[in-house]
Amino acid sequence: MQKKIKTIGVLTSGGDAAGMNAAIRAVVRACAYYNVACKGFYRGFEGLIEGDFVNLSARSVNNIIQKGGTILKTARSDAFKTKEGRKQAYSKLIAAKIDALVIIGGDGSFTGGTLFFKEFDFPVVGIPGTIDNDIFGTTHTLGYDTALNTAIDAIDKIRDTASSHNRLFFVEVMGRDAGFIALNAGVGAGAEEILIPEENLGLERMLESLKRSKRSGKSSSIVVVSEGDKTGKNVYELADYVKENMPEYDVRVTVLGHIQRGGSPSCFDRVLASRLGVKAVELLLDNKSNIMVGLLDNKVVSTNLEKAVKGKHSINKELLRISDIITT
Ligand code: ATP
C-alpha cells in the first residue's frame, strides 16, 4: 500500500521565470484545500540539502500571483548532482517529515528530480518553469509567454527608432539551444530575418534577404537573433558582417538579456501556473509520481519526467516560411 501524503514540499530551481510565484501559490492553496501541509524550500536543491524551509499556509502566498521572480529564491546546485548531496537532501526531507516534492524548474531540475525518485523512491512531480520553452510534454512552459511579450514590446520600441533613422537593428533574444522566443517574437514583431539554433539558414541568405528588403523600398529592418543561433557568429559579429557587405545601412545591436526573465507574469502564465500547480498536488495525492504536468491541446496532462527531459519539443518550422511571406 502506498504511503498517505500528509506534507508536500515545493521548490523553484534553475533560472527564474515569470509565473513561478503563481505556481507556488497554486501548490500551497491546493495543499490547504486538501488539508495537506506545505513547506517551501529556499534556493532550489541547495535549500533541500541544507534543510532550509518555511511552513507555507494559504495566507503565506497572498499577493504574489502578479509578481515576477520567485519568493522561494532559486539556485543552481552542484552538490545535488552528486549522490552524496542527494543523500543529504533525502535525510533533510525525512527529518522535515516531507512525503512528496513539487519541483518547479527546467530540464536540469527534472533530471535531478527523476534521479531522486529512482534512488530514494521519493515521490516527485515537476512543473515546467523556464522561459526557453524547451521541454517535451507541454506546448508552454511558465515564463515563456511573458518573455515573448517582453521581447515584442522591446522590439516594437526598437522599430520606432529603426524606422526614424533608417537603421538596421540586430536584436538578440534569449535561447541558447532553442529558438522559440526568437521565432515567435520575430514573427510577432514583423522581423525581416530570424536566426535560431535549430536551423542554419546561412549568412548569404540573410544578406540576400536584407538586400531584397532594401530593394523593395524598406528603409529599416530588424533581425531577431537567438543567443545560440547556428551561423557561428555572435550578434556583434553578425552586425559587422552586414556593415562590411551593406555599407549603405546604419547597423546597430541591442541585446535584450535579463529583462526577458523578469516582470509581472502575463495572464496566460498566471492561468497556466494555477492549473499546473493544482494538478501537481492532485496527482501526488493520487499517488502518481515521477511525472511532469504540462499543457497539450489546452488540457493539463502528465508526462513521465525522464521523457520530458529526453524528448524533443520542436519549434514550428512552418513559422519560418510564414515569416518569409509576411515580410515580403
Ligand atoms: P533553466 O532551463 O532555466 O536553465 P534548469 O532546471 O534546466 O532551468 P539547470 O541549471 O540545468 O536549470 O538545473 C538546475 C539544477 O538541477 C542544477 O543546479 C542541479 O542542482 C540540478 N541538476 C541538473 N542536472 C542534474 C543532473 N544531471 N543530476 C542531478 N541534478 C542535476
Side-chain angles (χ1 to χ4, degrees):
M1 209 179 85
Q2 280 172 311
K3 196 176 163 193
K4 185 168 162 45
I5 306 257
K6 292 187 192 138
T7 305
I8 290 178
V10 59
L11 58 82
T12 48
S13 170
D16 67 296
M20 281 183 161
N21 278 327
I24 295 167
R25 172 182 181 267
V27 168
V28 172
R29 295 268 167 93
C31 284
Y33 182 84
Y34 289 111
N35 285 317
V36 175
C38 188
K39 295 180 197 284
F41 284 82
Y42 288 111
R43 295 168 292 111
F45 295 131
E46 280 294 290
L48 217 56
I49 290 169
E50 291 167 18
D52 185 12
F53 65 83
V54 59
N55 292 321
L56 294 170
S57 71
R59 296 286 73 76
S60 311
V61 289
N62 287 348
N63 204 19
I64 65 165
I65 193 170
Q66 79 281 22
K67 291 191 173 139
T70 156
I71 59 161
L72 291 176
K73 313 278 184 186
T74 183
R76 311 208 191 251
S77 167
D78 286 335
F80 198 77
K81 291 185 177 171
T82 67
K83 180 89 192 259
E84 207 39 56
R86 292 192 295 276
K87 237 184 199 167
Q88 174 127 359
Y90 178 69
S91 65
K92 296 286 180 181
L93 279 175
I94 297 304
K97 296 191 165 31
I98 310 283
D99 303 309
L101 197 58
V102 176
I103 298 169
I104 307 169
D107 56 350
S109 306
F110 294 165
T111 303
T114 197
L115 272 176
F116 201 66
F117 165 79
K118 282 187 192 157
E119 288 169 351
F120 306 104
D121 195 22
F122 196 88
V124 296
V125 169
I127 296 180
T130 169
I131 67 167
D132 292 338
N133 207 37
D134 56 349
I135 306 270
F136 178 81
T138 188
T139 51
H140 291 76
T141 56
L142 296 182
Y144 168 58
D145 184 68
T146 304
L148 273 184
N149 285 309
T150 302
I152 281 222
D153 190 42
I155 299 168
D156 286 349
K157 287 176 175 139
I158 289 165
R159 189 175 284 287
D160 286 347
T161 196
S163 63
S164 301
H165 291 271
N166 293 349
R167 281 177 181 156
L168 165 61
F169 265 88
F170 279 85
V171 183
E172 186 191 89
V173 297
M174 279 190 171
R176 246 178 252 292
D177 305 304
F180 287 97
I181 296 182
L183 192 52
N184 286 275
V187 170
E192 275 67 29
E193 273 295 300
I194 303 167
L195 303 180
I196 52 174
E198 290 85 348
E199 194 102 330
N200 186 358
L201 298 175
L203 294 171
E204 284 306 314
R205 195 203 103 107
M206 176 184 71
L207 216 53
E208 202 34 61
S209 156
L210 291 173
K211 284 181 178 164
R212 212 172 36 243
S213 290
K214 193 96 178 146
R215 280 198 300 273
S216 77
K218 288 191 183 181
S219 57
S220 66
S221 286
I222 305 270
V223 180
V224 173
V225 186
S226 268
E227 279 171 301
D229 94 274
K230 273 278 186 303
T231 56
K233 289 188 186 292
N234 70 35
V235 71
Y236 294 100
E237 291 166 342
L238 283 170
D240 287 342
Y241 176 80
V242 172
K243 269 183 215 165
E244 275 166 31
N245 289 281
M246 295 182 75
E248 66 274 27
Y249 252 135
D250 181 8
V251 185
R252 300 296 163 102
V253 172
T254 299
V255 176
L256 296 190
H258 283 83
I259 63 161
Q260 294 160 94
R261 274 197 193 284
S264 187
S266 65
C267 182
F268 182 90
D269 273 328
R270 297 182 200 193
V271 174
L272 180 64
S274 303
R275 293 176 74 184
L276 298 185
V278 168
K279 190 69 177 179
V281 170
E282 288 177 341
L283 285 167
L284 284 172
L285 295 182
D286 203 18
N287 282 311
K288 303 280 190 317
S289 180
N290 197 30
I291 46 178
M292 179 198 81
V293 285
L295 192 72
L296 292 177
D297 292 331
N298 201 25
K299 288 191 182 68
V300 177
V301 296
S302 59
T303 301
N304 174 275
L305 207 49
E306 253 180 303
K307 216 167 158 192
V309 173
K310 291 193 179 140
K312 178 104 186 97
H313 181 193
S314 301
I315 53 154
N316 179 3
K317 290 199 178 162
E318 168 72 355
L319 281 180
L320 287 171
R321 196 180 72 81
I322 300 290
S323 171
D324 273 351
I325 293 171
I326 60 172
T327 53
T328 300

